[in-house]
């Protein structure tokens, strides 16, 4: 895992070779985390934590983003006072070709049934 920098604003992320399938699947198995990933994929760009309107407390939202970051699904960086979140699609596709796309397609189909 990439250690935090000395100034404490950089967050630890797993290197590509450290990302594990079990951790990715666990992260994507939660409806709120899958919702975050779907929004990031739909936007195709980094989004601030405040861009997400989730029906959970701020501390629970923070937990969901931490799970996504520590599993290697998203990369979080500080830009000024904002914490931006970007989908690590390139890393995930290199390690697990087609997985993210298939999960997102399945989530879209499921959302269409509701």
């Amino acid at each position: 895992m990439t250690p935090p920098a000395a100034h404490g604003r950089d967050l630890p992320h797993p290197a590509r070779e450290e990302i594990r399938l079990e951790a990715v699947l666990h992260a994507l198995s939660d409806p709120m985390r899958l919702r975050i990933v779907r929004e990031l994929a739909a936007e195709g760009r980094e989004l601030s934590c405040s861009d997400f309107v989730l029906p959970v407390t701020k501390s629970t939202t923070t937990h969901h983003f931490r799970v996504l970051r520590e599993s290697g699904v998203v990369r979080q960086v500080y830009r000024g006072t904002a914490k931006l979140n970007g989908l690590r699609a390139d890393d995930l596709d290199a390690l697990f070709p087609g997985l993210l796309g298939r999960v997102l397609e399945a989530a879209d189909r499921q959302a269409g049934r509701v």
Side-chain angles (χ1 to χ4, degrees):
M1 183 149 318
T2 308
H7 59 76
R9 297 275 294 173
D10 290 335
L11 300 163
H13 296 85
R16 178 185 280 187
E17 62 274 6
E18 296 173 324
I19 297 173
R20 304 284 306 166
L21 179 60
E22 314 82 72
V24 171
L25 292 174
H26 169 74
L28 296 174
S29 71
D30 182 88
M32 285 299 114
R33 293 192 291 265
L34 184 56
R35 179 174 169 173
I36 291 167
V37 170
R38 289 180 71 208
E39 286 186 39
L40 284 169
E43 285 293 322
R45 63 182 177 88
E46 293 178 329
L47 295 174
S48 150
C49 291
S50 63
D51 289 328
F52 296 88
V53 179
L54 302 174
V56 295
T57 65
K58 185 176 179 181
S59 63
T60 300
T61 299
T62 299
H63 166 75
H64 288 310
F65 278 107
R66 182 177 52 79
V67 170
L68 289 167
R69 176 176 44 82
E70 290 178 351
S71 68
V73 175
V74 301
R75 180 167 304 281
Q76 292 184 305
V77 294
Y78 280 101
R79 298 242 170 77
T81 59
K83 188 188 295 182
L84 296 180
N85 302 278
L87 196 54
R88 292 181 66 178
D90 290 346
D91 289 333
L92 295 174
D93 286 340
L95 292 167
F96 317 113
L99 175 69
L100 183 60
R102 291 296 197 173
V103 167
L104 292 170
E105 287 171 15
D108 288 345
R109 279 194 306 276
Q110 178 173 284
R113 292 191 323 233
V114 179

